């Protein structure tokens, strides 16, 4: 998995450099003002439809910034609630500090005369102009020059101040997020090291006593060696996850996602225009789109995915897909009463529990200042959000899930979910109401609340989370889809693999038996058509048992 991931990462990096060299116009700011226009035939023709123009203005002076001026501007605008919006146009002109990582919000009327001076807070200013499929106009002219702040310069424009505040706010947000994540990992590592030194391996002892003979026997490793191995593996796992995340974020913030940013803003800013129309369809009402829109999306994603999985489970059609079944325990007549009960519990959780929780979630998002309309986040920021969402969900789900396995809670709450030892997709939401709230609903919303995310980002994240948990429970290891082997092993053995990403399982040693099993060898992305159960079969002795 890591090998393929690195290959893809380097391929994207190479493609990105090629894309930048061909597509991006780089300009150098000097003391003397220069100009550029929205498009090539500025004086004779309107700008084209479905067009994207990108300019990166740079200055080579130390501690210098760039001062730009929108000298002329005539682009399509849109009026919302009596106001002409500059940050929400069908044709959008946007200014960013650096490589499209920090949006500079212009609070003047869009393209009504001039906007005055626009100051970047760094040595680069990125300008992006995207158009939709209709209504083209004359375009714009932007003048720019190198700006060297004087020591006695006290008359700073409000636009400059708001830009600087925006920059410092974004930097503070990113710094705070990274600080929280690093702090959390540091605390977890400290706790684990203390436990290992003290010899508190009760979790491993419980794992060994509960281990079934269906799979491999518990691995007996000398005590001192086991402690040291777990500590080293935990540190390596944490460094790998955080290191990969940080490297990817740094690369993305500079250049690696330029070609993906192109897709993100393709077809005349397709995603922005699509979101604008979705918001209009909900009557420009934050409550409607935040509550009913989110609920409708969640229900649609879950039931569409599980509809096809249920067809395969019940009808065994199409036949060629059944060979990817992990456990040979198909649904028969004796399972149908249990399936009916599962459907009833899932619907109950989605309605009686889910709707009130969705109302609470809406007001929490509103309280945190999450945006429901307007400018979508840049693709780079969206990648950072997804990384934070995943890590926060890992923390929330691992500890809540492991808590549910405590002997004082398991029989009363979590046992319902484990009635299915050979899981199917729909049981991802088959849980006691208390567990559904604590483990299924809370962890996915914590990340968006922390990041104050746009509703569009939240919708994408909820879609990913629902599909991920469905795949983890589906019981099939299909080609090109994430491996469900880890969570299937958890249902089969009732032990190990309490998390989503696996980092906390490695940290706490709650994956030792899984790592010694054939299921762990099959826990990879299937790139061919031959099932991994055939490529790496269980030993004959295990099958006979």
């Amino acid at each position: 998995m890591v090998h393929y991931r690195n290959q893809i990462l380097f391929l994207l990096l190479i493609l990105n450099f090629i894309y930048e060299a061909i597509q991006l116009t780089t300009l150098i700011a000097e003391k003397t003002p220069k100009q550029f226009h929205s498009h090539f035939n500025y004086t004779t023709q309107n700008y084209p439809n479905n067009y994207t123009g990108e300019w990166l203005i740079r200055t080579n002076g130390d501690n210098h910034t760039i001062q730009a001026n929108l000298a002329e501007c005539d682009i399509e605008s849109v009026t919302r609630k009596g106001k002409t919006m500059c940050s929400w146009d069908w044709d959008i002109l946007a200014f960013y500090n650096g490589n499209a990582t920090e949006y500079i919000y212009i609070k003047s009327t869009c393209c009504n005369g001039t906007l005055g001076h626009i100051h970047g807070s760094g040595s680069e200013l990125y300008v992006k102009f995207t158009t939709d499929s209709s209504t083209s106009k004359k375009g714009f002219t932007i003048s720019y020059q190198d700006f060297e702040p004087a020591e006695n310069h006290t008359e700073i424009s409000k636009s400059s101040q708001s830009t600087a505040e925006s920059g410092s706010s974004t930097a503070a947000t990113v710094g705070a997020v990274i600080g929280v994540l690093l702090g959390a990992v540091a605390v977890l590592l400290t706790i684990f090291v203390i436990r290992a030194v003290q010899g508190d391996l009760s979790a491993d002892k419980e794992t060994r006593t509960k281990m079934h003979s269906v799979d491999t026997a518990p691995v007996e490793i000398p005590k001192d060696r086991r402690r040291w191995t777990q500590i080293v593996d935990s540190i390596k796992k944490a460094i790998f996850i955080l290191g990969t995340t940080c490297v990817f974020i740094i690369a993305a913030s500079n250049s690696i996602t330029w070609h993906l940013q192109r897709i993100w803003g393709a077809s005349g800013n397709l995603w922005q225009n699509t979101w604008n129309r979705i918001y209009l369809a909900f009557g420009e009402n934050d409550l409607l789109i935040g509550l009913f829109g989110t609920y409708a999306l969640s229900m649609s994603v879950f039931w569409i995915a599980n509809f096809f999985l249920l067809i395969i489970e019940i009808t065994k059609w199409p036949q060629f897909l059944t060979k990817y079944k992990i456990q040979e325990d198909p649904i028969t007549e004796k399972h149908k009463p249990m399936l009916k009960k599962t459907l009833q519990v899932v619907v109950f959780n989605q309605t009686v529990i889910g709707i009130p929780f969705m109302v609470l979630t809406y007001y929490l998002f509103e309280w945190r200042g999450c945006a429901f309309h307007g400018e979508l986040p840049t693709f780079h920021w969206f990648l950072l959000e997804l990384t934070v969402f995943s890590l926060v969900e890992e923390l929330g789900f691992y500890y809540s899930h492991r808590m549910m396995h405590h002997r004082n809670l398991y029989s009363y709450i979590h046992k319902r979910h484990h009635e299915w030892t050979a899981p199917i997709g729909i049981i991802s939401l088959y849980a006691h109401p208390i567990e559904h709230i604590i483990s299924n609903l809370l962890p996915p919303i914590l990340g968006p609340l922390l990041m104050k995310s746009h509703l569009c980002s939240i919708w994408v994240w909820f879609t990913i989370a629902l599909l991920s948990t469905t795949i983890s429970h589906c019981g099939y290891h299909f080609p090109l889809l994430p491996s469900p082997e880890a969570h299937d092993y958890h249902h089969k053995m009732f032990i190990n693999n309490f998390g989503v990403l696996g980092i906390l399982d490695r940290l706490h040693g709650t994956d030792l038996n899984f790592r010694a099993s054939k299921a762990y060898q099959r826990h990879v992305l299937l790139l061919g058509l031959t099932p991994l159960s055939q490529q790496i079969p269980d030993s004959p002795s295990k099958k006979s048992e």
Side-chain angles (χ1 to χ4, degrees), residues 304-318 322 476:
I304 289 174
N306 280 283
F307 173 76
F308 292 105
L309 290 172
L310 283 173
I311 288 179
I312 298 173
E313 284 286 353
I314 297 174
T315 67
K316 305 299 179 289
W317 182 90
T322 59
Y476 288 85

Side-chain angles (χ1 to χ4, degrees), residues 188 237 241 387-401 443-444 446 461 497-508 510:
L188 293 174
K237 187 86 170 182
I241 294 292
T387 303
V388 173
F389 296 166
S390 300
L391 293 178
V392 171
E393 185 197 29
E394 171 76 355
L395 286 168
F397 182 77
Y398 177 88
Y399 290 111
S400 64
H401 184 198
L446 296 178
W461 165 239
N497 306 335
F498 299 101
V500 179
L501 301 177
I503 180 173
L504 293 179
D505 282 300
R506 188 84 290 266
L507 181 69
H508 293 291
T510 51

Side-chain angles (χ1 to χ4, degrees), residues 102 162-176 381 452:
E102 180 187 329
S162 63
T163 299
E165 291 171 0
S166 175
S168 62
S169 175
T170 302
T173 300
V174 175
W381 182 257
K452 300 182 181 180

Side-chain angles (χ1 to χ4, degrees), residues 13 25 30 73 79 235 258 263 334 446 462 490 501 509 521:
L13 186 60
T25 301
E30 300 176 354
C73 187
T79 301
I235 294 174
W258 270 102
I263 298 173
K334 68 176 182 179
L446 296 178
F462 283 179
H490 174 76
L501 301 177
Q521 299 177 35

Side-chain angles (χ1 to χ4, degrees), residues 27 32-37 42 69 71-72 141-145:
L27 307 171
T32 304
K34 297 181 180 180
Q35 287 187 341
F36 66 89
H37 304 293
Y42 174 72
N69 181 59
E72 296 179 321
T141 298
I142 292 179
S143 64
Y144 61 95
Q145 67 183 101

Side-chain angles (χ1 to χ4, degrees), residues 345-380:
V345 171
V346 169
V347 172
F348 177 86
N349 284 338
Q350 289 181 318
T351 53
V352 178
I353 304 299
I355 292 177
F357 186 88
M358 194 74 72
V359 174
L360 175 62
T361 300
Y362 165 77
Y363 286 107
L364 286 174
F365 286 153
E366 189 178 52
W367 167 70
R368 282 290 292 162
C370 298
F372 294 87
H373 58 83
E375 182 80 14
L376 295 182
T378 65
F379 188 74
H380 311 87

Side-chain angles (χ1 to χ4, degrees), residues 50-339:
N50 299 322
Y51 165 73
T52 299
E54 298 171 284
W55 300 267
L56 182 62
I57 309 173
R58 289 174 172 166
T59 178
N60 296 322
D62 294 336
N63 299 321
H64 288 202
T65 58
I66 298 165
Q67 178 176 284
N69 181 59
L70 194 58
E72 296 179 321
C73 187
D74 180 26
I75 66 176
E76 180 188 10
S77 61
V78 61
T79 301
R80 290 286 173 264
K81 300 180 180 179
K83 295 182 179 180
T84 302
M85 306 297 291
C86 185
S87 61
W88 186 20
D89 280 345
W90 303 118
D91 294 337
I92 297 177
L93 175 61
F95 297 81
Y96 301 84
N97 280 319
N99 281 354
T101 56
E102 180 187 329
Y103 184 69
I104 300 176
Y105 291 93
I106 305 171
K107 298 182 179 179
S108 305
T109 302
C110 186
C111 286
N112 184 9
T114 62
L115 290 176
H117 294 310
I118 302 166
H119 284 285
S121 61
S123 60
E124 293 184 349
L125 181 68
Y126 171 67
V127 183
K128 182 175 181 179
F129 178 50
T130 55
T131 69
D132 62 7
S133 58
S134 63
T135 314
S136 62
K137 293 193 175 183
K138 181 180 179 180
F140 57 82
T141 298
I142 292 179
S143 64
Y144 61 95
Q145 67 183 101
D146 181 285
F147 179 74
E148 181 179 3
E151 292 182 0
N152 60 351
H153 181 68
T154 57
E155 297 296 328
I156 302 176
S157 65
K158 293 182 179 179
S159 176
S160 250
Q161 292 178 1
S162 63
T163 299
E165 291 171 0
S166 175
S168 62
S169 175
T170 302
T173 300
V174 175
V177 170
I178 295 177
V180 168
L181 294 177
L182 291 176
V185 172
V187 169
L188 293 174
L189 282 173
T190 302
I191 293 173
F192 180 69
V193 169
I194 292 174
R195 287 184 58 196
V197 171
Q198 293 176 343
D200 182 10
L201 299 174
S202 58
D204 295 334
K205 183 177 180 181
E206 180 182 357
T207 295
R208 292 195 302 271
T209 57
K210 292 184 177 180
M211 183 65 184
H212 291 254
S213 61
V214 178
D215 206 339
T216 183
V219 182
E220 293 296 338
I221 303 174
K223 189 175 182 180
D224 293 338
R225 181 184 174 189
R226 184 170 64 247
R227 291 178 187 172
W228 176 248
T229 301
Q230 285 186 246
I231 293 172
V232 172
D233 285 350
S234 300
I235 294 174
K236 286 164 58 178
K237 187 86 170 182
I239 292 174
F240 174 77
I241 294 292
L242 286 179
T244 303
T245 301
C246 291
V247 168
F248 187 76
I249 291 173
I250 292 171
S253 66
N254 284 279
S255 63
I256 197 172
T257 55
W258 270 102
H259 57 289
L260 294 177
Q261 179 74 37
R262 177 79 172 188
I263 298 173
W264 188 256
S267 302
N269 208 33
L270 171 65
W271 307 119
Q272 181 70 61
N273 292 339
T274 300
W275 186 257
N276 293 343
R277 289 177 172 85
I278 292 174
Y279 189 67
L280 286 174
F282 282 91
E284 299 179 315
N285 189 303
D286 290 354
L287 177 63
L288 287 179
I289 193 171
L291 178 56
F292 296 105
T294 304
Y295 182 75
L297 173 80
S298 302
M299 292 289 285
S300 299
V301 170
F302 180 84
W303 286 109
I304 289 174
N306 280 283
F307 173 76
F308 292 105
L309 290 172
L310 283 173
I311 288 179
I312 298 173
E313 284 286 353
I314 297 174
T315 67
K316 305 299 179 289
W317 182 90
Q319 181 67 35
F320 73 92
L321 291 179
T322 59
K323 64 183 180 181
Y324 298 106
K325 182 77 172 174
I326 298 175
Q327 297 187 49
E328 297 178 3
D329 188 11
I331 293 181
T332 59
E333 287 295 326
K334 68 176 182 179
H335 292 93
K336 289 187 177 180
M338 190 174 175
L339 179 60

